Coordinates of all heavy atoms in Angstrom, one line a residue:
M1 N -3.8 -29.3 -7.5 CA -3.2 -27.9 -7.3 C -1.7 -28.1 -7.1 O -1.3 -29.0 -6.4 CB -3.9 -27.3 -6.1 CG -3.4 -25.9 -5.8 SD -4.2 -25.1 -4.4 CE -5.8 -24.7 -5.0
K2 N -1.0 -27.1 -7.7 CA 0.4 -27.1 -7.5 C 0.9 -26.8 -6.1 O 0.1 -26.3 -5.3 CB 1.0 -26.1 -8.5 CG 0.9 -26.4 -9.9 CD 1.6 -25.3 -10.7 CE 1.5 -25.6 -12.2 NZ 2.2 -24.5 -13.0
K3 N 2.1 -27.2 -5.8 CA 2.6 -26.9 -4.5 C 2.7 -25.5 -4.2 O 2.5 -25.0 -3.1 CB 4.0 -27.6 -4.3 CG 4.0 -29.0 -4.0 CD 5.3 -29.5 -3.6 CE 5.2 -30.9 -3.1 NZ 6.4 -31.4 -2.4
S4 N 3.0 -24.7 -5.2 CA 3.1 -23.2 -5.0 C 1.8 -22.6 -4.6 O 1.7 -21.7 -3.8 CB 3.7 -22.5 -6.2 OG 2.9 -22.7 -7.4
G5 N 0.7 -23.2 -5.2 CA -0.7 -22.7 -4.9 C -1.1 -23.1 -3.5 O -1.7 -22.3 -2.8
K6 N -0.7 -24.3 -3.1 CA -1.0 -24.7 -1.7 C -0.2 -23.9 -0.7 O -0.7 -23.5 0.3 CB -0.7 -26.2 -1.5 CG -1.6 -27.1 -2.2 CD -1.2 -28.6 -2.0 CE -2.2 -29.5 -2.7 NZ -1.8 -30.9 -2.5
A7 N 1.1 -23.6 -1.0 CA 1.9 -22.8 -0.1 C 1.4 -21.4 0.0 O 1.4 -20.8 1.1 CB 3.3 -22.8 -0.6
A8 N 0.8 -20.9 -1.1 CA 0.3 -19.5 -1.1 C -1.0 -19.5 -0.2 O -1.2 -18.5 0.5 CB 0.0 -19.0 -2.5
I9 N -1.8 -20.5 -0.3 CA -3.0 -20.5 0.5 C -2.6 -20.6 2.0 O -3.2 -19.9 2.9 CB -3.9 -21.7 0.1 CG1 -4.5 -21.4 -1.2 CG2 -5.0 -22.0 1.1 CD1 -5.3 -22.6 -1.9
Y10 N -1.7 -21.5 2.3 CA -1.2 -21.6 3.7 C -0.7 -20.3 4.2 O -1.0 -19.9 5.3 CB -0.1 -22.7 3.8 CG -0.7 -24.1 4.1 CD1 -0.9 -25.0 3.0 CD2 -1.0 -24.6 5.3 CE1 -1.4 -26.2 3.2 CE2 -1.5 -25.8 5.5 CZ -1.7 -26.7 4.5 OH -2.1 -27.9 4.7
F11 N 0.1 -19.7 3.4 CA 0.8 -18.4 3.8 C -0.3 -17.3 4.0 O -0.2 -16.6 5.1 CB 1.7 -18.0 2.7 CG 2.5 -16.7 3.0 CD1 3.5 -16.7 3.9 CD2 2.1 -15.5 2.3 CE1 4.1 -15.5 4.2 CE2 2.8 -14.3 2.6 CZ 3.8 -14.3 3.6
L12 N -1.3 -17.2 3.2 CA -2.3 -16.2 3.3 C -3.2 -16.4 4.6 O -3.5 -15.5 5.3 CB -3.2 -16.1 2.1 CG -2.5 -15.5 0.8 CD1 -3.4 -15.6 -0.4 CD2 -2.1 -14.1 1.1
V13 N -3.5 -17.7 4.8 CA -4.4 -18.0 6.0 C -3.6 -17.7 7.2 O -4.1 -17.2 8.2 CB -4.9 -19.4 5.9 CG1 -5.6 -19.8 7.2 CG2 -5.9 -19.5 4.7
V14 N -2.3 -18.1 7.3 CA -1.5 -17.9 8.5 C -1.3 -16.4 8.7 O -1.4 -16.0 9.9 CB -0.1 -18.6 8.3 CG1 0.8 -18.2 9.3 CG2 -0.3 -20.1 8.4
I15 N -1.1 -15.6 7.7 CA -1.0 -14.2 7.9 C -2.3 -13.6 8.4 O -2.3 -12.7 9.3 CB -0.6 -13.5 6.5 CG1 0.8 -13.9 6.1 CG2 -0.8 -12.0 6.6 CD1 1.9 -13.4 7.1
V16 N -3.4 -14.0 7.9 CA -4.7 -13.5 8.4 C -4.9 -13.8 9.9 O -5.3 -13.0 10.7 CB -5.9 -14.0 7.5 CG1 -7.2 -13.8 8.2 CG2 -5.8 -13.4 6.2
F17 N -4.6 -15.1 10.2 CA -4.7 -15.5 11.6 C -3.7 -14.7 12.5 O -4.0 -14.3 13.6 CB -4.5 -17.0 11.8 CG -5.8 -17.8 11.6 CD1 -6.4 -18.0 10.4 CD2 -6.4 -18.4 12.7 CE1 -7.5 -18.7 10.3 CE2 -7.5 -19.2 12.6 CZ -8.1 -19.3 11.3
F18 N -2.5 -14.6 12.0 CA -1.5 -13.9 12.7 C -1.8 -12.4 13.0 O -1.4 -11.9 14.0 CB -0.1 -14.0 11.9 CG 1.1 -13.5 12.7 CD1 1.6 -14.2 13.7 CD2 1.6 -12.2 12.4 CE1 2.7 -13.8 14.4 CE2 2.7 -11.8 13.0 CZ 3.3 -12.5 14.1
L19 N -2.5 -11.8 12.1 CA -2.9 -10.4 12.3 C -4.2 -10.2 13.1 O -4.3 -9.2 13.8 CB -3.1 -9.7 10.9 CG -1.8 -9.6 10.1 CD1 -2.2 -9.0 8.7 CD2 -0.8 -8.7 10.8
T20 N -5.1 -11.2 13.1 CA -6.4 -11.0 13.8 C -6.4 -11.5 15.2 O -6.9 -10.8 16.1 CB -7.5 -11.6 12.9 OG1 -7.3 -13.0 12.7 CG2 -7.7 -10.9 11.6
I21 N -5.9 -12.7 15.4 CA -6.1 -13.3 16.7 C -5.4 -12.6 17.8 O -6.0 -12.3 18.9 CB -5.7 -14.8 16.7 CG1 -6.7 -15.6 15.8 CG2 -5.6 -15.4 18.0 CD1 -6.5 -17.0 15.7
P22 N -4.1 -12.2 17.7 CA -3.5 -11.4 18.8 C -4.2 -10.1 19.1 O -4.4 -9.7 20.2 CB -2.1 -11.2 18.3 CG -1.8 -12.3 17.4 CD -3.1 -12.5 16.7
E23 N -4.7 -9.4 18.0 CA -5.4 -8.2 18.2 C -6.7 -8.4 19.0 O -7.1 -7.6 19.9 CB -5.7 -7.5 16.9 CG -6.5 -6.2 17.1 CD -6.7 -5.5 15.8 OE1 -6.2 -5.9 14.7 OE2 -7.5 -4.5 15.8
I24 N -7.5 -9.4 18.6 CA -8.7 -9.7 19.3 C -8.5 -10.1 20.8 O -9.2 -9.6 21.7 CB -9.5 -10.9 18.6 CG1 -10.0 -10.4 17.3 CG2 -10.6 -11.4 19.5 CD1 -10.5 -11.5 16.4
V25 N -7.5 -10.9 21.1 CA -7.2 -11.3 22.4 C -6.7 -10.1 23.3 O -7.2 -9.9 24.4 CB -6.1 -12.4 22.4 CG1 -5.5 -12.7 23.8 CG2 -6.6 -13.7 21.8
I26 N -5.9 -9.3 22.7 CA -5.4 -8.1 23.5 C -6.6 -7.1 23.7 O -6.6 -6.5 24.8 CB -4.2 -7.4 22.7 CG1 -3.0 -8.4 22.8 CG2 -3.9 -6.1 23.3 CD1 -1.8 -7.9 22.0
R27 N -7.5 -7.0 22.8 CA -8.6 -6.0 23.0 C -9.6 -6.6 24.0 O -10.3 -5.8 24.7 CB -9.3 -5.7 21.7 CG -8.5 -4.8 20.8 CD -9.2 -4.5 19.6 NE -8.4 -3.8 18.6 CZ -8.6 -2.5 18.3 NH1 -9.5 -1.8 19.0 NH2 -7.8 -2.0 17.5
V28 N -9.8 -7.9 24.1 CA -10.9 -8.5 24.9 C -10.4 -8.7 26.3 O -11.2 -8.5 27.2 CB -11.3 -9.9 24.3 CG1 -12.2 -10.7 25.2 CG2 -12.0 -9.6 23.0
L29 N -9.2 -9.0 26.6 CA -8.7 -9.3 27.9 C -8.7 -8.0 28.8 O -8.3 -6.9 28.3 CB -7.3 -9.8 27.9 CG -7.1 -11.3 27.4 CD1 -5.7 -11.7 27.4 CD2 -8.0 -12.3 28.1
T30 N -9.1 -8.2 30.0 CA -9.0 -7.1 31.0 C -7.5 -7.0 31.4 O -6.7 -7.9 31.2 CB -9.8 -7.4 32.2 OG1 -9.3 -8.5 32.9 CG2 -11.3 -7.5 31.9
P31 N -7.1 -5.9 32.0 CA -5.7 -5.7 32.4 C -5.2 -6.8 33.3 O -4.1 -7.3 33.3 CB -5.6 -4.4 33.0 CG -6.7 -3.6 32.3 CD -7.8 -4.6 32.1
E32 N -6.1 -7.3 34.2 CA -5.7 -8.3 35.2 C -5.5 -9.6 34.5 O -4.6 -10.4 34.8 CB -6.8 -8.5 36.3 CG -7.0 -7.3 37.2 CD -7.8 -6.2 36.6 OE1 -8.6 -6.4 35.6 OE2 -7.7 -5.0 37.1
Q33 N -6.4 -10.0 33.5 CA -6.3 -11.2 32.8 C -5.0 -11.2 31.9 O -4.3 -12.2 31.8 CB -7.5 -11.4 31.9 CG -8.8 -11.8 32.7 CD -10.0 -11.8 31.8 OE1 -10.0 -11.1 30.8 NE2 -11.0 -12.6 32.2
F34 N -4.8 -10.0 31.3 CA -3.6 -9.8 30.5 C -2.3 -10.0 31.3 O -1.4 -10.7 30.9 CB -3.6 -8.4 29.9 CG -2.6 -8.2 28.8 CD1 -2.7 -8.8 27.6 CD2 -1.4 -7.4 29.1 CE1 -1.7 -8.6 26.6 CE2 -0.5 -7.2 28.2 CZ -0.6 -7.8 26.9
A35 N -2.3 -9.5 32.5 CA -1.1 -9.7 33.4 C -1.0 -11.1 33.8 O 0.2 -11.7 33.8 CB -1.3 -8.8 34.7
R36 N -2.0 -11.8 34.1 CA -1.9 -13.3 34.4 C -1.4 -14.1 33.3 O -0.6 -14.9 33.4 CB -3.3 -13.8 34.8 CG -3.6 -13.6 36.3 CD -4.8 -14.5 36.7 NE -5.6 -13.7 37.5 CZ -6.9 -13.5 37.5 NH1 -7.6 -14.2 36.6 NH2 -7.6 -12.7 38.3
L37 N -1.9 -13.8 32.1 CA -1.5 -14.5 30.9 C 0.0 -14.2 30.6 O 0.7 -15.1 30.2 CB -2.4 -14.2 29.7 CG -2.1 -14.9 28.4 CD1 -2.3 -16.4 28.6 CD2 -3.0 -14.4 27.3
S38 N 0.4 -13.0 30.7 CA 1.8 -12.6 30.5 C 2.7 -13.3 31.5 O 3.8 -13.7 31.2 CB 2.0 -11.1 30.4 OG 1.7 -10.5 31.7
D39 N 2.3 -13.4 32.8 CA 3.1 -14.0 33.8 C 3.2 -15.5 33.5 O 4.3 -16.1 33.7 CB 2.5 -13.9 35.2 CG 2.7 -12.5 35.7 OD1 3.6 -11.8 35.2 OD2 1.9 -12.1 36.6
F40 N 2.1 -16.1 33.0 CA 2.1 -17.5 32.6 C 3.1 -17.8 31.5 O 3.8 -18.8 31.5 CB 0.7 -18.0 32.3 CG 0.6 -19.4 31.8 CD1 0.8 -20.5 32.7 CD2 0.4 -19.7 30.5 CE1 0.7 -21.8 32.3 CE2 0.3 -21.0 30.0 CZ 0.4 -22.0 30.9
T41 N 3.1 -16.9 30.5 CA 3.9 -17.2 29.3 C 5.3 -16.7 29.4 O 6.2 -17.0 28.5 CB 3.3 -16.5 28.1 OG1 3.2 -15.1 28.3 CG2 1.9 -17.1 27.8
S42 N 5.7 -16.0 30.5 CA 7.0 -15.5 30.6 C 8.0 -16.5 31.1 O 9.2 -16.2 31.3 CB 7.0 -14.3 31.5 OG 6.8 -14.6 32.9
L43 N 7.6 -17.7 31.4 CA 8.5 -18.8 31.9 C 9.2 -18.4 33.2 O 10.4 -18.5 33.3 CB 9.4 -19.3 30.8 CG 8.7 -19.8 29.6 CD1 9.8 -20.1 28.5 CD2 8.0 -21.1 29.9
G44 N 8.5 -17.9 34.1 CA 9.1 -17.5 35.4 C 10.0 -16.3 35.4 O 11.0 -16.2 36.1
G45 N 9.7 -15.4 34.5 CA 10.5 -14.2 34.4 C 11.7 -14.3 33.5 O 12.6 -13.4 33.5
L46 N 11.8 -15.4 32.8 CA 13.0 -15.6 31.9 C 12.9 -14.6 30.7 O 13.9 -14.1 30.3 CB 12.9 -17.0 31.3 CG 14.1 -17.5 30.5 CD1 15.4 -17.4 31.4 CD2 13.9 -18.9 30.0
F47 N 11.7 -14.3 30.2 CA 11.5 -13.3 29.2 C 10.7 -12.1 29.7 O 10.1 -12.1 30.7 CB 10.7 -13.9 28.0 CG 11.4 -15.1 27.3 CD1 10.9 -16.3 27.4 CD2 12.6 -14.9 26.7 CE1 11.5 -17.4 26.8 CE2 13.3 -16.0 26.1 CZ 12.7 -17.2 26.1
S48 N 10.7 -11.0 28.9 CA 9.9 -9.9 29.2 C 8.4 -10.3 29.1 O 8.1 -11.1 28.2 CB 10.2 -8.8 28.2 OG 9.2 -7.8 28.3
N49 N 7.6 -9.8 30.0 CA 6.2 -10.2 30.0 C 5.5 -9.9 28.6 O 4.8 -10.7 28.1 CB 5.4 -9.5 31.1 CG 5.8 -10.1 32.4 OD1 6.4 -11.1 32.5 ND2 5.5 -9.4 33.5
L50 N 5.6 -8.7 28.1 CA 5.0 -8.3 26.9 C 5.5 -9.1 25.7 O 4.8 -9.5 24.8 CB 5.1 -6.8 26.7 CG 4.3 -6.2 25.5 CD1 2.9 -6.5 25.7 CD2 4.6 -4.7 25.4
L51 N 6.8 -9.2 25.7 CA 7.5 -10.0 24.6 C 7.0 -11.4 24.6 O 6.7 -12.0 23.5 CB 9.0 -9.9 24.7 CG 9.8 -10.7 23.6 CD1 9.5 -10.2 22.2 CD2 11.2 -10.7 24.0
S52 N 6.9 -12.0 25.8 CA 6.5 -13.4 25.8 C 5.1 -13.6 25.4 O 4.7 -14.6 24.7 CB 6.7 -14.0 27.2 OG 5.9 -13.3 28.2
I53 N 4.2 -12.7 25.8 CA 2.8 -12.9 25.4 C 2.6 -12.7 23.9 O 1.8 -13.4 23.2 CB 1.8 -12.0 26.2 CG1 0.4 -12.5 26.0 CG2 1.9 -10.6 25.7 CD1 -0.6 -11.9 27.0
L54 N 3.4 -11.8 23.3 CA 3.3 -11.6 21.8 C 3.8 -12.8 21.1 O 3.3 -13.2 20.1 CB 4.1 -10.3 21.4 CG 3.4 -9.0 21.9 CD1 4.3 -7.8 21.5 CD2 2.0 -8.9 21.3
I55 N 4.9 -13.4 21.6 CA 5.4 -14.6 20.9 C 4.4 -15.7 21.1 O 4.2 -16.5 20.1 CB 6.8 -15.0 21.6 CG1 7.9 -14.0 21.2 CG2 7.2 -16.4 21.2 CD1 9.2 -14.1 21.9
F56 N 3.9 -15.9 22.3 CA 2.9 -16.9 22.5 C 1.7 -16.8 21.6 O 1.2 -17.7 21.0 CB 2.4 -16.9 24.0 CG 1.3 -17.8 24.3 CD1 1.5 -19.2 24.4 CD2 0.0 -17.4 24.5 CE1 0.5 -20.1 24.6 CE2 -1.0 -18.2 24.8 CZ -0.8 -19.6 24.8
L57 N 1.1 -15.6 21.5 CA 0.0 -15.3 20.6 C 0.3 -15.5 19.2 O -0.5 -16.0 18.4 CB -0.6 -13.9 20.9 CG -1.3 -13.7 22.2 CD1 -1.7 -12.3 22.4 CD2 -2.5 -14.6 22.3
G58 N 1.5 -15.1 18.8 CA 1.9 -15.3 17.4 C 2.0 -16.8 17.0 O 1.5 -17.3 16.0
V59 N 2.7 -17.6 17.9 CA 2.8 -19.0 17.6 C 1.4 -19.7 17.6 O 1.1 -20.6 16.8 CB 3.8 -19.7 18.6 CG1 3.8 -21.2 18.5 CG2 5.2 -19.1 18.4
A60 N 0.6 -19.3 18.6 CA -0.7 -19.9 18.7 C -1.6 -19.6 17.5 O -2.3 -20.5 17.0 CB -1.4 -19.5 20.0
S61 N -1.5 -18.4 17.0 CA -2.3 -18.0 15.8 C -1.8 -18.7 14.6 O -2.6 -19.1 13.7 CB -2.3 -16.5 15.6 OG -1.0 -16.0 15.4
I62 N -0.5 -18.9 14.4 CA 0.1 -19.7 13.3 C -0.4 -21.1 13.3 O -0.9 -21.7 12.3 CB 1.6 -19.6 13.3 CG1 2.0 -18.2 12.9 CG2 2.2 -20.6 12.3 CD1 3.5 -17.9 13.1
L63 N -0.4 -21.8 14.5 CA -0.8 -23.1 14.6 C -2.3 -23.2 14.4 O -2.8 -24.2 13.7 CB -0.5 -23.7 16.0 CG 1.0 -23.9 16.3 CD1 1.2 -24.3 17.7 CD2 1.6 -24.9 15.3
L64 N -3.1 -22.3 14.8 CA -4.5 -22.3 14.6 C -4.8 -22.1 13.1 O -5.8 -22.7 12.6 CB -5.2 -21.2 15.4 CG -5.6 -21.5 16.8 CD1 -6.1 -20.2 17.5 CD2 -6.6 -22.6 16.9
G65 N -4.1 -21.3 12.4 CA -4.2 -21.2 11.0 C -4.0 -22.4 10.2 O -4.7 -22.8 9.3
I66 N -2.9 -23.1 10.6 CA -2.6 -24.4 9.9 C -3.7 -25.4 10.2 O -4.1 -26.2 9.4 CB -1.2 -24.9 10.4 CG1 -0.1 -24.0 9.8 CG2 -0.9 -26.3 9.9 CD1 1.2 -24.2 10.3
F67 N -4.1 -25.5 11.5 CA -5.2 -26.4 11.9 C -6.5 -26.1 11.1 O -7.2 -27.0 10.7 CB -5.4 -26.3 13.4 CG -6.5 -27.3 13.9 CD1 -6.3 -28.6 13.9 CD2 -7.7 -26.8 14.3 CE1 -7.3 -29.5 14.3 CE2 -8.7 -27.6 14.7 CZ -8.5 -29.0 14.7
A68 N -6.8 -24.8 10.9 CA -8.0 -24.5 10.2 C -8.0 -24.9 8.8 O -9.0 -25.4 8.2 CB -8.2 -22.9 10.3
I69 N -6.8 -24.8 8.1 CA -6.7 -25.3 6.7 C -6.9 -26.8 6.7 O -7.5 -27.4 5.8 CB -5.4 -24.9 6.1 CG1 -5.4 -23.4 5.9 CG2 -5.1 -25.5 4.8 CD1 -4.1 -22.8 5.5
Y70 N -6.2 -27.5 7.6 CA -6.3 -29.0 7.7 C -7.8 -29.4 7.9 O -8.2 -30.3 7.2 CB -5.4 -29.5 8.8 CG -5.5 -31.0 9.0 CD1 -4.9 -31.8 8.1 CD2 -6.2 -31.5 10.1 CE1 -5.0 -33.2 8.3 CE2 -6.2 -32.8 10.3 CZ -5.6 -33.7 9.4 OH -5.7 -35.1 9.6
L71 N -8.5 -28.8 8.8 CA -9.9 -29.1 9.1 C -10.8 -28.8 7.9 O -11.6 -29.6 7.5 CB -10.4 -28.3 10.3 CG -11.7 -28.7 10.8 CD1 -11.7 -30.2 11.3 CD2 -12.1 -27.8 12.0
A72 N -10.5 -27.7 7.2 CA -11.3 -27.3 6.0 C -11.1 -28.3 4.9 O -12.0 -28.7 4.2 CB -11.0 -25.9 5.5
K73 N -9.8 -28.8 4.8 CA -9.5 -29.8 3.8 C -10.2 -31.1 4.0 O -10.8 -31.7 3.1 CB -8.0 -30.0 3.7 CG -7.5 -30.9 2.6 CD -6.1 -31.3 2.7 CE -5.1 -30.2 2.9 NZ -3.7 -30.5 2.9
I74 N -10.3 -31.5 5.3 CA -11.0 -32.8 5.6 C -12.5 -32.6 5.3 O -13.1 -33.6 4.8 CB -10.7 -33.1 7.1 CG1 -9.3 -33.6 7.3 CG2 -11.7 -34.2 7.6 CD1 -8.9 -33.8 8.7
I75 N -13.1 -31.5 5.7 CA -14.5 -31.3 5.5 C -14.8 -31.3 4.0 O -15.8 -31.9 3.5 CB -15.0 -30.0 6.2 CG1 -14.9 -30.2 7.7 CG2 -16.4 -29.6 5.7 CD1 -15.1 -29.0 8.5
Y76 N -14.0 -30.6 3.2 CA -14.1 -30.5 1.8 C -14.1 -31.9 1.1 O -14.9 -32.2 0.3 CB -13.1 -29.5 1.2 CG -13.2 -29.4 -0.3 CD1 -14.3 -28.7 -0.9 CD2 -12.3 -30.0 -1.2 CE1 -14.4 -28.6 -2.3 CE2 -12.4 -30.0 -2.5 CZ -13.4 -29.3 -3.1 OH -13.5 -29.2 -4.5
R77 N -13.1 -32.7 1.5 CA -12.9 -34.0 0.9 C -14.1 -34.9 1.3 O -14.6 -35.6 0.5 CB -11.7 -34.7 1.4 CG -10.4 -34.2 0.8 CD -9.2 -34.9 1.2 NE -8.0 -34.4 0.6 CZ -6.8 -34.6 1.1 NH1 -6.6 -35.4 2.1 NH2 -5.8 -34.1 0.5
H78 N -14.6 -34.7 2.5 CA -15.8 -35.5 2.9 C -17.0 -35.1 2.1 O -17.8 -36.0 1.7 CB -16.0 -35.3 4.4 CG -17.2 -36.1 4.9 ND1 -17.2 -37.5 5.0 CD2 -18.4 -35.7 5.3 CE1 -18.4 -37.8 5.5 NE2 -19.2 -36.8 5.7
L79 N -17.2 -33.8 1.9 CA -18.4 -33.4 1.2 C -18.3 -33.7 -0.3 O -19.4 -34.1 -0.9 CB -18.6 -31.9 1.3 CG -19.0 -31.4 2.7 CD1 -19.0 -29.8 2.7 CD2 -20.3 -31.9 3.1
T80 N -17.2 -33.7 -0.9 CA -17.0 -34.0 -2.3 C -17.1 -35.5 -2.5 O -17.6 -36.0 -3.6 CB -15.7 -33.5 -2.9 OG1 -14.6 -34.0 -2.2 CG2 -15.7 -32.0 -2.9
Q81 N -16.7 -36.3 -1.6 CA -16.8 -37.8 -1.8 C -18.2 -38.3 -1.6 O -18.7 -39.2 -2.2 CB -15.9 -38.5 -0.8 CG -14.5 -38.4 -1.1 CD -13.6 -39.1 -0.1 OE1 -14.0 -39.5 1.0 NE2 -12.3 -39.0 -0.3
S82 N -19.0 -37.6 -0.7 CA -20.4 -38.0 -0.5 C -21.3 -37.7 -1.7 O -22.3 -38.3 -1.9 CB -20.9 -37.4 0.8 OG -21.0 -36.0 0.6
R83 N -20.9 -36.7 -2.5 CA -21.7 -36.4 -3.7 C -21.5 -37.3 -4.8 O -22.3 -37.5 -5.7 CB -21.3 -35.0 -4.2 CG -21.8 -33.9 -3.3 CD -21.5 -32.5 -3.8 NE -22.0 -31.5 -3.0 CZ -21.8 -30.2 -3.2 NH1 -21.1 -29.8 -4.2 NH2 -22.2 -29.3 -2.3
S84 N -20.4 -38.0 -4.9 CA -20.0 -38.9 -6.0 C -20.8 -40.2 -5.9 O -21.3 -40.7 -5.0 CB -18.6 -39.3 -6.0 OG -17.8 -38.1 -6.1

């Protein structure tokens, strides 16, 4: 596969993770848990609580998207090599 095809797959998966994971986390957490998480990610009040949690969730979802592609690639290679 060309590099542009791989980049498109990475981009699409990261966008999907970026749009879904923060929404799920924000909907599932209770207000108390949300406050604790935002205090934890605000680095001692250095950033705004809401801004820091959104940045944290965005970065975490991007990293999870990249990890999911990497893991799927390993599983796919393992399955195709065992059939040969």
Side-chain angles (χ1 to χ4, degrees):
M1 183 181 283
K2 291 182 178 180
K3 280 193 173 193
S4 61
K6 288 181 183 180
I9 290 172
Y10 274 94
F11 182 74
L12 291 174
V13 170
V14 165
I15 290 296
V16 168
F17 272 71
F18 187 75
L19 293 175
T20 56
I21 290 180
E23 181 179 350
I24 292 169
V25 169
I26 289 173
R27 287 181 189 254
V28 168
L29 291 180
T30 64
E32 293 82 19
Q33 292 171 332
F34 189 74
R36 273 194 223 135
L37 184 61
S38 65
D39 286 340
F40 176 72
T41 58
S42 69
L43 299 173
L46 188 62
F47 298 115
S48 166
N49 289 343
L50 187 58
L51 176 64
S52 66
I53 197 166
L54 290 176
I55 291 170
F56 173 76
L57 289 173
V59 170
S61 62
I62 289 170
L63 292 176
L64 278 172
I66 293 170
F67 179 71
I69 292 174
Y70 176 72
L71 188 63
K73 188 187 310 183
I74 289 175
I75 292 170
Y76 178 74
R77 284 183 183 165
H78 179 71
L79 290 175
T80 56
Q81 288 176 358
S82 64
R83 289 185 181 175
S84 301

